[in-house]
Amino acid sequence: MAAQEDAAALLDEIARREEELASLKRRLAAALASQSEPEPPVPLPPLLPKAALSRDEILRYSRQLLLPELGVRGQLLRAYDVVADCSDNVATRYLVNDACVLAGRPLVSASALRFEGQLTVYHHDGGPCYRCVFPRPPPAETVTNCSDGGVLGVVPGVLGCVQALEVLKIAAGLGPAYSGSMLLFDGLGGHFRRIRLRRRRPDCVVCGQQPTVTRLQDYEAFCGSSATDKCRALKLLSPEERISVTDYKRLLDAGAPHILLDVRPQVEVDICRLPHALHIPLSHLERRDANSLKLLGKALRNGRRDSQEGAALPVYVICKQGNDSQKAVRALQSLKAVPELDSLAVQDVVGGLMAWAAKIDGAFPQY
Ligand SMILES: [Zn+2]
C-alpha cells in the first residue's frame, strides 16, 4: 500500500516538474525570439527632389513608399503599433510585410476576390511573416486581381470588420486570434474556415535567423508586376503588332474588310460587345480548342472568298484593356501550322474596349 502511495506521489511530482520544464522552455523561446529583433533598416539612397521626377517616377516611387515629400523611406511604420494591409496587389504585400518586419510591427493582412476572402496576422509574437508563408511571388500572369476578376463589395466588408477586430485586440493587448493561422471566408457557400499556417521559417530572408533583406527593395522588379491592380499595362507586342482605337475606327468607317476577334470571357461579352466582333475567349485559343479554331478558320475562309483580291483578311484582336489581346496575338501567331491561319496578319487593339469607350464611343459601357 505504501509502495502504491509512493508511486502516485512520484507520478504527481514528475507531472509537476514536466509542467515546470515546459514553462521554462516557453520562456526561453520567448527570450530568444526577442533577442533576434531585426536591426533597423539601412537608410535608402538619396532620392531626387520631386520636381526632378517624371509622373511615372512619382507613381513608381510613391508605390514603394519612397517619395521624399511623404517623408516615408520605409520607416513610417515605426510611428504605429499595428499595421493593416488592405492592398490589392502582390508587390505591395511584400513591401508592407518587409517594412513591418524591419520596423518590428505586427501586420494584420486581409484580401478578397470575387466571393472569397482570407485574413491572417503576420509577424506577431514569433509567428510567421508573409515571406515565411509565401517565400516567392507567384508568376505575374497567374495572378487574378480584383480589377479583372471582380469582387462583391460585401466580401471586403466582412473581411475588413474581422481585420479591424484583430487590430483593436492587438492594440488593446488582448492578442490576435489569427497569428499563425488563416481565416478563409467563402461568401458563396457561407463558410468560415480556419487553417493552421506553417511556423516562422528559420531561413526566412527577412525574419529568419540570417536575414538577407535588411532594407526595402524594388518590389515591382521582385514580383515582375506593377504595385497596383488598376493599370497593369502588358508590353508583349511590338508597336507594329498593335493598332490604336482611332486607327481601327478609321478603317472600320472606310469599310476595310477585316475580322475583329473579341477574346474576353463569355461573362464579359454578355455585359457589352461590338456587334460585328467574332467571339473566341483567350483560354480557347491558348488551349487550341478545336471548335474555336474551326470557327476562326471558317470566318477567314468566308472573308477571303468575299474579298475582291481573294487575300487573307487582317485580324484585329480586342479585349477589355489590351492585355489579353496581346496574349491572344501571340497564341494566334503560334497557330501558323493550321490551314487558313498560316498567312494570318494579326494585330491587337491598344487599350481594348475601355479605350474604345473613352475615345470613340462615350455610350459604350465601362465596367
Ligand atoms: Zn518570415
Side-chain angles (χ1 to χ4, degrees), residues 65-87:
L65 301 185
L66 291 180
L67 208 60
E69 278 72 3
L70 294 175
V72 177
R73 299 196 168 211
Q75 301 192 28
L76 175 75
L77 300 187
R78 289 186 180 280
Y80 299 88
D81 295 323
V82 192
V83 178
D85 181 0
C86 318
S87 64

Side-chain angles (χ1 to χ4, degrees), residues 6-328:
D6 280 353
L10 283 169
L11 281 172
D12 284 345
E13 182 65 14
I14 288 169
R16 193 185 62 76
R17 289 194 190 187
E18 277 178 347
E19 176 53 39
E20 202 174 67
L21 190 60
S23 165
L24 284 171
K25 282 181 178 171
R26 281 197 295 273
R27 284 172 55 196
L28 175 65
L32 289 175
S34 67
Q35 260 180 19
S36 61
E37 275 298 301
E39 293 293 310
V42 177
L44 289 154
L47 272 175
L48 295 171
K50 187 177 174 184
L53 298 172
S54 70
R55 184 176 174 278
D56 281 351
E57 283 171 326
I58 289 172
L59 272 176
R60 181 168 168 71
Y61 281 126
S62 59
R63 285 179 200 143
Q64 303 284 325
L65 301 185
L66 291 180
L67 208 60
E69 278 72 3
L70 294 175
V72 177
R73 299 196 168 211
Q75 301 192 28
L76 175 75
L77 300 187
R78 289 186 180 280
Y80 299 88
D81 295 323
V82 192
V83 178
D85 181 0
C86 318
S87 64
D88 57 10
N89 63 84
V90 178
T92 301
R93 290 194 191 284
Y94 278 99
L95 163 66
V96 175
N97 176 73
D98 290 359
C100 281
V101 174
L102 294 171
R105 297 292 182 269
L107 171 62
V108 185
S109 175
S111 60
L113 184 67
R114 299 189 178 117
F115 296 99
E116 295 169 2
Q118 46 184 253
L119 174 144
T120 189
V121 176
Y122 292 116
H123 193 56
H124 180 270
D125 201 16
C129 80
Y130 183 68
R131 280 191 192 258
C132 293
V133 183
F134 303 105
R136 273 176 294 279
E141 63 277 14
T142 65
V143 177
T144 304
N145 55 44
C146 291
S147 180
D148 289 340
V151 63
L152 192 64
V154 181
V155 178
V158 171
L159 271 297
C161 280
V162 184
Q163 188 175 24
L165 180 61
E166 290 294 87
V167 168
L168 289 173
K169 278 157 52 188
I170 293 171
L174 298 171
Y178 291 102
S179 173
S181 65
M182 182 178 279
L183 167 70
L184 303 177
F185 173 59
D186 170 6
L188 211 51
H191 305 299
F192 282 90
R193 281 177 56 212
R194 178 199 183 108
I195 57 167
R196 283 218 68 76
L197 294 179
R198 60 167 306 139
R199 291 171 193 275
R200 184 175 175 179
R201 295 173 72 111
D203 60 346
C204 175
V205 294
V206 66
C207 80
Q209 283 156 358
Q210 291 176 314
T212 51
V213 176
T214 53
R215 62 179 195 174
L216 299 181
Q217 60 182 80
D218 186 332
Y219 294 89
E220 296 193 331
F222 174 62
C223 297
S225 58
S226 177
T228 170
D229 81 336
K230 300 294 184 294
C231 52
R232 298 174 313 133
L234 197 65
K235 286 184 184 156
L236 202 58
L237 303 180
S238 65
E240 302 76 51
E241 295 172 300
R242 315 197 71 190
I243 184 170
S244 68
V245 281
T246 319
D247 287 346
Y248 176 72
K249 176 70 163 68
R250 205 169 291 138
L251 67 86
L252 189 66
D253 289 344
H258 70 282
I259 289 172
L260 179 68
L261 184 61
D262 186 336
V263 294
R264 293 172 301 151
Q266 184 65 49
V267 64
E268 293 182 42
V269 175
D270 289 344
I271 298 171
C272 57
R273 63 194 294 266
L274 290 174
H276 59 287
L278 174 70
H279 174 229
I280 300 177
L282 171 64
S283 57
H284 290 208
L285 293 174
E286 287 182 330
R287 67 167 190 263
R288 300 183 171 215
D289 174 70
N291 286 336
S292 298
L293 295 186
K294 213 182 280 177
L295 191 67
L296 181 59
K298 191 175 162 202
L300 286 164
R301 260 196 319 277
N302 292 345
R304 190 190 290 247
R305 195 184 56 217
D306 296 344
S307 74
Q308 287 169 351
E309 299 85 20
L313 292 189
V315 175
Y316 300 104
V317 184
I318 201 160
C319 66
K320 181 187 174 189
Q321 300 184 101
N323 286 345
D324 280 357
S325 56
Q326 296 185 63
K327 295 180 196 169

